[in-house]
Amino acid sequence: MAKGKKRTGKFTSVSVPVPLFNKIENRIEGTGFTSVSSYVTYVLREIIANKEEEEAENPFTEEDEKKVKDRLKALGYLD
Amino acid sequence: MRKAVLLGWDGVPPSLVFDDLAEVMPNLTQLTKHSTYGPLRSTKPPITIPAWMCMATGCDPGQLGLYGFRHREPGNYKDIWIPDSNKIDSKKLWDFVGEKLGKSIVIGMPPSYPPPKVTGHLVSGFLAPGTDKTYTYPESLMEEIEDIVGEYSLDVFYRTEEKEELYTNLIDMVKKRHKLAKYLMKEKPWDLFVLMEVGSDRLHHGFWRFYDKQHHKYEPGNEYESKFVDFYRLLDKQLGELLEIMPEDALFVLTSDHGAKGRKGAFCINQWLEKKGLLSLKKQPTEPQSFEDLEIDWKNTKAWGWGGYYSRIFVNVEGYEEQGTVPPHEYERFRTNLAKELQKIKGPNGEDWKNIVDKPEDIYEDCKGDYPDLMVYFDDLCWRGSSSMGHESMYFYGSATGPDDAVHDWDGIYVTRFPGQTEAARKSQDILDIAPTILEFMGLETKDYMTGQAIRRQ
C-alpha cells in the first residue's frame, strides 16, 4: 500500500526483530498483557500520545504564574 | 497489580469527623468500624504545599525542596516562584504505577499544573490558573468533563463576606468534582484512583467561626452553623457513593493533609525584627504595607521574615545575599540566638505562647532548594505570621484580603480499609506512611529514601 494512503480494518501487522520479540515476551510475563502485539500497541500509543502532547506543550507561563500568585494572595497563602 | 483508592479531604481535623460529626456522617462512621484510622501527623509546615506531594512521594518537604506556596529566587530579596508540577522531581504514586504498566486516575492533587503526562488520566488541582488553560491530561479529557459536569470548578474564593455565594459555589464545586470522579471511576481503566477535594479546607476558612463554639467570633444560633454540618453530610454522601462503586478487592485510603482550628490573629514578624534592631527600613510606611512594597535598608538588615501559616526567617548572610551583612563565621551563632529570641515571643497580653522554632537541617532528611534559615510557628499555629509592616501593633486580627476564620493544625486524618477487613483500630500515623502503604499493597517497590512505615492490616 502506498505511503500516506489510509488503511481500513482494525489491525495490520508490522515486523519486529526476533530478539526484540523475545525480550518483550519475557518482559510481559505476569503483567496482564496477553500478547506481544497488545504490549507493542500499548507502548506505541503511549509514545504517540506523548509526542502529540509535546507538540501542544503547555508550560507554566509568566501569565499563568501571575494569575496563580494573585489568587494565592487573595486566598491568604502569601501574607 | 492490586488496586488502591486514595481519597483526600483537605484540612480535616480528626476530632471533627471521627467524634463531633460522627452521627451526621454514617458512611464514614461505618467505614471506621472496619478500618485502621485516626490522626495523621502532617508535614512541617502543615500546609497544602508541600503536604499532598509529601503524601504522594513519601518524601519530606526538604527532600522535595518545597517549603510552602512560594520560594525565593536565589540572590534576590523579593522575587518569588510558585511551585508547579514541573518542579517536583520525585516520583509520585502514579509514576510508580505507570512504570509497571498500571493506569492511574488523578484528580485535584496540588501542584499538578501544567498537567503532567501520566499513564491514565489527570485533572489539575486548584493551582491551575483557570479552566481556559489545558488543565487535564490528556487534553481531550477537558471536553469530556464539560459534557459530564458543565463548567468545571477548580476552587472557590473564600476570603469574602458574601457567605451565601461562597457556600453555593462550594457545594457546586464539590458536587461537580465528585460527579466527575464517579464517572471516571466507572468509565476509565485504573489501578490507582486519586481524588483530592479542597472544599473542606475552604469551608473551614470561610465558616469556622460559625461552627466552633470556642472561636472568639462565634455567635450562638447563627444561620451557618447547620450549613457547616450540611457540608460534611454532603461529603459523607459522596464518600458512600464512591465506596459503593469501587472494587471490593481494592485498598481504600482516606486522608487529610493537615487539620484546622480557630484563627486568633496575625503576628507581624518584620515589625518584631525591626524592634529588635535586626531589620531596618529606608522609609516608614504610614499604613499597613505588604513586604514587596516596603523599602528595606538591606545594608542595615540582618534578618527578614515571610508570613503565612508559619513564618520563614532568612538571614542576610554576607557573600550569599546581594547586600549581606552577617559574616559567614557568625551565621550559626546569630541564627541560634535568633531562634532563642523567637521562641520567647509572647502574646498581645503578655501571655505565654507555645512557639516552635526549627532549623530545617534538624528536621528533614535532606534540604534541597533555597530553604529558610529558621521556621517559626507562633503559639502552636494559632497565630499566623505576617510579613507586612506599618501596623499599629505587632498583633492584628483582621486581614488585608478579606475574612479568614481558620488556621491549620498538625493532625489531619487517615482511614485505611484493606479488602475484607472487619476489625477496627484507632491509632496515630504519619503523613509519610501513606505512600509506602499504597505501594506495598499494590505490590510496587518502596524506595530507601522513604522514611515512612507502611500501615498493614491489623
Side-chain angles (χ1 to χ4, degrees):
Chain A
M1 192 181 281
K3 195 180 163 190
K5 191 166 176 188
K6 288 223 169 199
R7 290 175 185 275
T8 53
K10 285 194 169 178
F11 293 95
T12 186
S13 55
V14 288
S15 305
V16 292
V18 171
L20 177 63
F21 185 96
N22 292 339
K23 266 192 184 175
I24 297 172
E25 209 168 32
N26 289 335
R27 183 170 181 146
I28 63 175
E29 228 178 64
T31 61
F33 281 97
T34 50
S35 68
V36 170
S37 294
S38 64
Y39 179 75
V40 169
T41 304
Y42 168 81
V43 171
L44 291 177
R45 275 192 181 140
E46 287 293 310
I47 290 170
I48 296 296
N50 283 355
K51 203 79 203 147
E52 283 169 354
E53 265 312 290
E54 258 171 42
E55 280 157 16
E57 193 72 73
N58 185 20
F60 197 57
T61 61
E62 274 180 33
E63 181 202 344
D64 288 347
E65 185 157 336
K66 190 179 175 325
K67 266 190 183 176
V68 173
K69 272 183 190 168
D70 288 347
R71 186 130 54 86
L72 287 176
K73 205 164 187 185
L75 290 171
Y77 285 110
L78 310 178
D79 252 346
Chain B
M1 189 182 297
R2 295 207 282 177
K3 290 177 189 287
V5 175
L6 172 61
L7 172 61
W9 288 349
D10 200 289
V12 174
S15 59
L16 182 72
V17 290
F18 293 145
D19 304 312
D20 300 357
L21 298 178
E23 273 182 28
V24 298
M25 302 186 77
N27 292 306
L28 178 66
T29 305
Q30 184 62 25
L31 180 67
T32 55
K33 288 180 181 161
H34 311 290
S35 311
T36 310
Y37 71 104
L40 187 73
R41 193 65 169 178
S42 185
T43 44
K44 271 185 160 186
I47 49 179
T48 301
I49 286 183
W52 285 112
M53 274 301 130
C54 291
M55 203 187 300
T57 60
C59 295
D60 70 24
Q63 289 171 308
L64 292 181
L66 292 183
Y67 306 95
F69 276 94
R70 61 178 152 171
H71 295 81
R72 292 191 60 200
E73 291 287 0
N76 185 310
Y77 289 116
K78 292 195 176 175
D79 281 1
I80 58 163
W81 58 268
I82 307 292
D84 64 69
S85 63
N86 300 322
K87 298 281 195 319
I88 321 283
D89 295 332
S90 302
K91 276 202 278 185
K92 277 77 62 187
L93 288 168
W94 42 97
D95 297 323
F96 284 94
V97 171
E99 221 172 49
K100 295 289 177 191
L101 312 175
K103 287 186 183 295
S104 297
I105 290 172
V106 183
I107 308 166
M109 287 294 268
S112 51
Y113 179 87
K117 299 172 184 93
V118 295
T119 311
H121 296 79
L122 181 139
V123 182
S124 295
F126 72 95
L127 282 172
T131 50
D132 54 332
K133 298 280 183 166
T134 302
Y135 68 99
T136 64
Y137 179 85
E139 193 175 354
S140 58
L141 180 58
M142 283 170 61
E143 264 179 51
E144 223 172 323
I145 292 176
E146 206 167 298
D147 288 345
I148 304 299
V149 304
E151 196 185 333
Y152 184 70
S153 175
L154 290 157
D155 200 356
V156 293
F157 170 61
Y158 65 78
R159 283 195 163 192
T160 171
E161 290 293 0
E162 302 296 326
K163 299 294 178 187
E164 202 54 49
E165 190 187 348
L166 167 60
Y167 194 78
T168 305
N169 292 343
L170 198 52
I171 297 297
D172 178 63
M173 174 176 74
V174 173
K175 282 184 175 168
K176 280 180 174 169
R177 187 140 40 232
H178 283 81
K179 190 175 181 187
L180 171 66
K182 284 176 274 186
Y183 164 79
L184 293 176
M185 189 181 259
K186 280 194 278 196
E187 301 298 330
K188 307 283 181 194
W190 57 271
D191 298 281
L192 173 70
F193 184 92
V194 182
L195 164 64
M196 199 287 263
E197 177 51 68
V198 74
S200 35
D201 180 79
R202 303 323 191 207
L203 174 84
H204 300 159
H205 287 293
F207 296 94
W208 191 264
R209 73 179 143 110
F210 299 104
Y211 175 76
D212 178 10
K213 294 180 175 60
Q214 310 302 319
H215 197 281
H216 62 278
K217 285 187 180 170
Y218 173 76
E219 286 172 28
N222 75 76
E223 60 175 313
Y224 290 106
E225 192 158 4
S226 61
K227 288 196 169 176
F228 186 99
V229 176
D230 286 345
F231 177 90
Y232 274 98
R233 216 174 252 129
L234 171 68
L235 214 50
D236 185 74
K237 181 173 170 272
Q238 302 295 342
L239 164 69
E241 288 174 14
L242 284 171
L243 286 170
E244 212 159 274
I245 58 172
M246 69 169 257
E248 281 183 7
D249 59 353
L251 165 70
F252 178 75
V253 182
L254 168 65
T255 61
S256 194
D257 57 335
H258 55 77
K261 59 186 171 188
R263 173 193 191 211
K264 291 190 178 164
F267 180 72
C268 302
I269 181 64
N270 286 322
Q271 285 189 207
W272 180 84
L273 286 166
E274 187 190 29
K275 202 176 159 198
K276 288 269 164 197
L278 300 174
L279 184 145
S280 183
L281 289 171
K282 284 184 180 165
K283 192 178 152 198
Q284 281 293 337
T286 50
E287 55 182 25
Q289 252 181 15
S290 64
F291 182 73
E292 57 259 44
D293 297 328
L294 292 166
E295 288 184 49
I296 294 176
D297 178 6
W298 291 107
K299 285 185 177 160
N300 288 301
T301 290
K302 290 188 171 175
W304 76 101
W306 278 0
Y309 294 102
Y310 82 114
S311 272
R312 279 177 264 188
I313 308 290
F314 299 97
V315 178
N316 199 18
V317 183
E318 208 181 298
Y320 185 83
E321 303 296 350
E322 207 182 318
Q323 300 175 62
T325 56
V326 176
H329 66 274
E330 281 179 21
Y331 168 74
E332 200 50 54
R333 199 177 52 177
F334 176 82
R335 182 166 72 142
T336 303
N337 288 339
L338 181 56
K340 283 181 192 159
E341 292 297 311
L342 288 160
Q343 191 85 51
K344 287 189 277 190
I345 292 174
K346 290 178 185 283
N349 302 309
E351 68 273 27
D352 282 335
W353 269 2
K354 282 197 275 179
N355 303 323
I356 300 163
V357 186
D358 290 318
K359 291 179 181 175
E361 303 94 314
D362 294 343
I363 58 168
Y364 298 134
E365 287 290 306
D366 190 4
C367 288
K368 290 187 179 151
D370 209 53
Y371 54 93
D373 296 293
L374 292 170
M375 304 167 83
V376 190
Y377 307 88
F378 296 110
D379 197 20
D380 200 28
L381 288 163
C382 288
W383 285 73
R384 289 173 61 104
S386 175
S387 49
S388 59
M389 295 179 79
H391 297 268
E392 281 178 22
S393 154
M394 280 189 280
Y395 308 87
F396 70 94
Y397 298 91
S399 121
T401 50
D404 187 352
D405 296 350
V407 287
H408 292 182
D409 207 354
W410 295 107
D411 286 338
I413 60 163
Y414 82 97
V415 181
T416 52
R417 188 192 65 186
F418 290 84
Q421 184 170 348
T422 51
E423 68 281 27
R426 188 166 177 168
K427 59 178 188 167
S428 302
Q429 295 288 156
D430 189 275
I431 198 163
L432 296 184
D433 298 337
I434 299 301
T437 302
I438 292 172
L439 291 175
E440 188 179 278
F441 177 83
M442 295 184 83
L444 302 169
E445 195 191 351
T446 54
K447 297 285 180 187
D448 288 344
Y449 59 76
M450 297 178 181
T451 55
Q453 301 294 313
I455 304 166
R456 298 188 176 120
R457 193 175 163 173
Q458 295 295 299

